[in-house]
Structures are given as C-alpha cells and as structure tokens.
Amino acid sequence: MNKKNLMTLADIAKLANVSTSTASRALRNNPVIKQATRDLVQGLAKEHNFKVNVTASKLRTQKTNTIAVVVMLERKSGQVISDPFLMEILGTIADELTKFGYDMLLTTTKTATHDWYSYYYESKRADGLIIIGQGEHDQRVESLASTKLPFVVWGTEIHENSYTTIGSDNRKGGFLAVQHLIQQGCKRIAFLGDINHNEVEQRWLGYQDALKEANLPIEHGLQIKTDFTSNDGYSKLRDHLLIEDQGIDGIFAVSDAIALGASKYLFEQKIEVPQKIAIIGFDDIAMSEFCSPSLSTIKQNTAAGGRLLVKILLNKINQQPVKSQLLDVEVVQRQSSRR
Amino acid sequence: MNKKNLMTLADIAKLANVSTSTASRALRNNPVIKQATRDLVQGLAKEHNFKVNVTASKLRTQKTNTIAVVVMLERKSGQVISDPFLMEILGTIADELTKFGYDMLLTTTKTATHDWYSYYYESKRADGLIIIGQGEHDQRVESLASTKLPFVVWGTEIHENSYTTIGSDNRKGGFLAVQHLIQQGCKRIAFLGDINHNEVEQRWLGYQDALKEANLPIEHGLQIKTDFTSNDGYSKLRDHLLIEDQGIDGIFAVSDAIALGASKYLFEQKIEVPQKIAIIGFDDIAMSEFCSPSLSTIKQNTAAGGRLLVKILLNKINQQPVKSQLLDVEVVQRQSSRR
DNA sequence: GATATTAATGCAATCGATTGCAAGTTGTTT
DNA sequence: AAACAACTTGCAATCGATTGCATTAATATC
C-alpha cells in the first residue's frame, strides 16, 4: 500500500505471491499466464477493490485512451452555446467513446489553447481529436493536417484529402429545403445564414440549385448574412428584409435557432405563417416541434453522426484507411411551411 | 529524442548542458535556479517546441489536474439531452476549468461506469468530480460522500452536511413563479413536474408556499407528474388535465421545455395564452424568448453557477472549507403570462 | 587567508504499470 | 535417461518528469 493507502499492483502481487509482471499479465487476462493464477490475481484485485493507475499505464504504454473533443464556438457572437444541436451530438459522442473504453476530454475554443497539436498530442493528453464545427474557415484546423495527430472534423469536406470530415449533406439539405418551399408555392425565397461557414456555404449552394432548377431568379437582396442565433435571425429580418417592399413569400434559415428568431418577428408583425410567408429551418432541434406554429426543418442525423465520428477516428488511430463521409438528410414538414 | 521523435526533458537538458533536474526546475521557473539558466532552458524549450509529458508529470506528482464532469441523464425518458440548460452550464464549466489550468473529462450516466470513486479517483483519472443534476434521489451520489473524492453537485441541498451542493434557489423560484401567476389573476394553477427530482421538489414547495400565501387551495388534481421533456409536457396536459372540467387558468411548468410542450397543446386547442391560461416555465433557455407567445420563466444564473461549481470544487481539493450555496433567481415576464 | 554562508546545480530515487528476454518447470519423444 | 518442446513465471529495464538531499561554486565574514 502506498501512502494514500490505495492499493497498487505490487500489493496485489505480494498478496498473490507472484511477481508484479505476472500480476500485470494476469489482470489483463494474458493467456500466457496459467488460468489458476489469473483467477487468483483477479480475485484478489476485486476483493481489495484494486484499480490500475491509468497514469502509470499511460506513461508506460504511450497510449492515453483519451479523445479530446473541441467545440468551436464563435468568439464574437456571444458567450454561450445556444444551439441544442451541439449538445445532442456531444451526448452521442460521449456515450460512444465510453463504449469503446475511451475517456473524453472536452474543450471549447473560447478559452483554450490554440495549438492543439502541442497541447493534446505532444503533451500526451489525448490520442486523437474530434473537432465539432469548422467555423469560419479556421486556420488551426487546416494546420493540423500536417501533424501526426489523428483527428476528424464534423463539417464539410473542403480541400480534397486534406483531412477527414463527417457531416450532413448540407448542399442536398439546402436544396431539399428550398425545393420544398417552392413546392408549397413560394417564389421569392430569402436566405438567412453566414456563408463564411463552410457548412452554410453548402446549404447556400443547395438553395441556388433549387432556385435554378425551378427557373427562379437568384436575388442577392434576399440573401442576408446571419449569425447562428435566434437573436440575429430576429434582427436581420427586421432590419434588412423589408417584407412589403421585397415581397418575399418564403424563408430558408440555415439553423432552427435562426428560423425561430425570424418567426418571432413575423409573429410580432402579424404576418401569417405559412400563408403569407412559409419558413423552414435546419437541424431539427427538439424545440422545433414545439413552437407555434411548429417549424419545418431539415433533419440532421446527429446520432449517426456522433457514432461515425468516433468510429472513423478510432480507425484512423489504428492506422486504418478512412475517408470523409456525408450523412443523408431529410425534410421534416410541419406547420410553418404547410399550405 | 525518443523514438517518436518528440522532445523530452532530457533532450532539452542536454542541449542546455544542465541536468534534467535543473532543466525541470528552470522550466517551472523555480527561483532556486539562476535567472540566466532559466532563460536558457526556457528559450531552448520554446525553440524546439518542447512540451512536458503530462502523463509522466501526473505520475510523479500524483495530481491529474483534471476534473471529471458527470451529466446525469434520465435513463428511461429517452436517449438525448434536449435541455439546452445543460449545455449552457457545461460550457461555462469548461471555460472556467481551462482558465484554472484544468482539463475536463466529460461523461454521461448513460453508458458510464457506476463506481465513480474507483473509476475517477482510484485509477487517477481526475482530482475531483462535478455532478450535474441529482436526478431522482440517486444512490451513487450519496455513497460518494463517504469517500475521499472531492466533488460538488449541481442541485439542491438534501441531507445537511452530507455533501456540497450548488444550485438555484428552487423553492424561491417556484414561489416567485406562482406568485407572479397569482398577481396576473390566476386562481387555479396547475403544476407540471416530477417531484422525485430534488430540485423539482423544491419548486413544488415554492408552488405551495405561494398558494398558501394567497389563501388559495392546494388541489392535488392539478399537480401532474411530468418528465423533463416537451413531449411529456404536451401529452400530460392532453391526457390528464381536462382543461374545461378543471377550469385551470394558470400553469407552472418546472422547465421551459415542459412549458413549451404544454403551450403547443394549448395552441392546438385554440386556448388563448395568456388570456384564458397563463403559463410560466423555469430555466430561461435561449428559445423561450423566441416562441410565440414568448415564454415567461424563472431565470437561473447558469454562468454564475458554473463558475461557482468550479471555484468550490477547487477549494475543496485544496483542503479549504466550503459550504453549499444557493443562487438567486428572478422572474422574467414575457407574453405567456402578461395580461 | 581561512572559514562560514548562501546560491546553483547535480545525483539518484521515485511515481506504478508494462514487457522483452531469460530462466525455471513440466511434459513429451525417442 | 537424455534431449527437446511447451508452459509459466520472474528479473530488470523502461516510460518521462519531479524532488529530497548532497555537492560544488560563489560570496561574505572575521
């Protein structure tokens, strides 16, 4: 027993009358050790509630069995993450990692160090990295690609082969959203989102695809740069889209949060949704079903996404070849666009 | 340089022509080392981008500089966390911990081990534990109290001195919410929540306090056990509160998520909010401001809560005396209760 | 100039588990 | 009975940084 009277492997070994090497192997069920010895050691370990000191183990094996997850937050647009979408995917990742015996280290970009390679890999905090949200063309992610740190990004594939990304088929999502609005009879559809985000850019391309397909004009005046918050959805609609003048009849917001903000403004202005203006969001967060009118949206499969992120990263850590993947999306029609 | 050609302290020492002991002290700015030597070593470290191996450091110092955060999820009521409230407090904790140089290990209760003391403390994964949400009188938390693991709980103080909790003044919150409804003219106010949760129980006591103060009867038929989801808020209202029969004119929901679910049902039934029924929630999640009608609620100060959790835990780790604390709450009046 | 102080640095043990290699046992084959 | 193979186990080094104690160098004191 050491000073803090926590059992150590040596203690167990002594109790079992074997060497620490044998004890170690026995505990890990190494078949080279006689079954009887294994049983003995494992029994003693359980009896004395012995737990391997993972720190010592990490040092010796040079594996941390830990994955770091970085959530990219907007530094400017506000302190907290309001987007429930993040929480959902985070929850899945956490559960999936524990399933594979990995611990999960969580950081946001707000206060954390910027040199992820040094901080996590060189200093041996984690075996790999999951980055959620590429944000606005972030340089840090780009520069990781040249290091030995295995990592995966939730987002959109940008530079072929530069690094591995998992994400929804954003372009298709944008397309489906707008196609849906057009099917509901919309002719002049506004776009709310910030195309400096890679994912949003894709959704925006999808928006254009759908307009082109329907032979509708692409009007730049209807495309409003909007942050990922309800607040901005609200105020951009108020300040930049002069509803009457522009005569828009549909809104595609690149997140449900934005869409809810926009809805609020429409409600206040007593503009009927969906009769006068139909609206659709993106994400399918839990709240969307419960606002009034309920919000149509593009559903992202967060559970599948979280699982895939983990799987791909672990494969990468084990030197297996991996490639970027797109997850399918689908339209969820609710009241805000049904007419 | 070792095999993986990462710099090690010994390498730096060699470059600087000093012993590893000196190098170590120099790096950590130990004043016993001559300033010139310190500069030399630190310069070389920076130049060669050397980072201490935290694993080795942890092993030697017996400190992990890591805090584990456990998010208690309902195992039954569904897989994902829909409550944005959790994400907000989690974000604050993450940022606050990095500020103090700690890493944050995140787990949910869904898949994780149950013996937190063994898993985190005995195996040296973390120096302390933050538990978010006591859930339904959980036994695991209770049993931690007798171990050496320093931990803090977000929730409500239950057994005096048994362990340290930080949380909102839930009883006052419940009181304020219902008092507010009464001031708006409500006489028969329903309660939606599951009082098996410690926090909810407090809010429920506050509900009763307010009714008593106003000399209104406490009707058990108006108190409906409801899970922390919009879904359940919706269906419990539909199935158990026969609006016309009971003639309720106010609803206090113990979370905004529940309140939104309830609102949806009222909206569908074309029951006017707040004229016919006023409604108030709890939490003040970001969405509450953006539904229609916007949701009145009791605001919890998550930022202060997160900061306090970290501060108290670190104090505890440093053997300083700490005590449980209540955070103040306030009414945020919006459309759902303004009449 | 000799000794007492103080300032800097180095030696070597330590944290606890893992593992290559050697050594000891037991069993098999001829 | 010798020779060899197959099992089991132990020795001792290792992972990389930290730190108590000893030692050397520099400065002060008489």
Side-chain angles (χ1 to χ4, degrees), chain A residues 85 89 92-93 152-157 165-174 176 199 202-203 282-283 298-312 323-331:
Chain A
F85 170 75
I89 201 163
T92 322
I93 292 173
V152 210
V153 177
W154 173 266
T156 271
E157 194 165 12
T165 55
I166 306 294
S168 293
D169 189 338
N170 289 296
R171 185 161 188 166
K172 178 177 174 188
L176 290 178
E199 294 184 89
Q202 293 297 311
R203 295 174 196 176
F282 207 109
D283 285 348
I298 301 297
K299 181 188 176 72
Q300 300 203 67
N301 195 338
T302 47
R307 267 182 267 121
L308 202 53
L309 280 168
V310 170
K311 187 177 136 200
I312 296 281
K323 52 180 198 292
S324 297
Q325 263 177 273
L326 280 184
L327 295 169
D328 206 17
V329 292
E330 56 178 314
V331 175

Side-chain angles (χ1 to χ4, degrees), chain A residues 2 8-9 21 24-25 50 60:
Chain A
N2 64 18
T8 164
L9 182 62
S21 15
S24 173
R25 294 188 176 107
F50 165 77
R60 176 64 231 242

Side-chain angles (χ1 to χ4, degrees), chain B residues 2 8-9 21 24-25 50 60:
Chain B
N2 64 18
T8 162
L9 182 62
S21 15
S24 172
R25 294 189 176 105
F50 164 77
R60 178 62 229 244

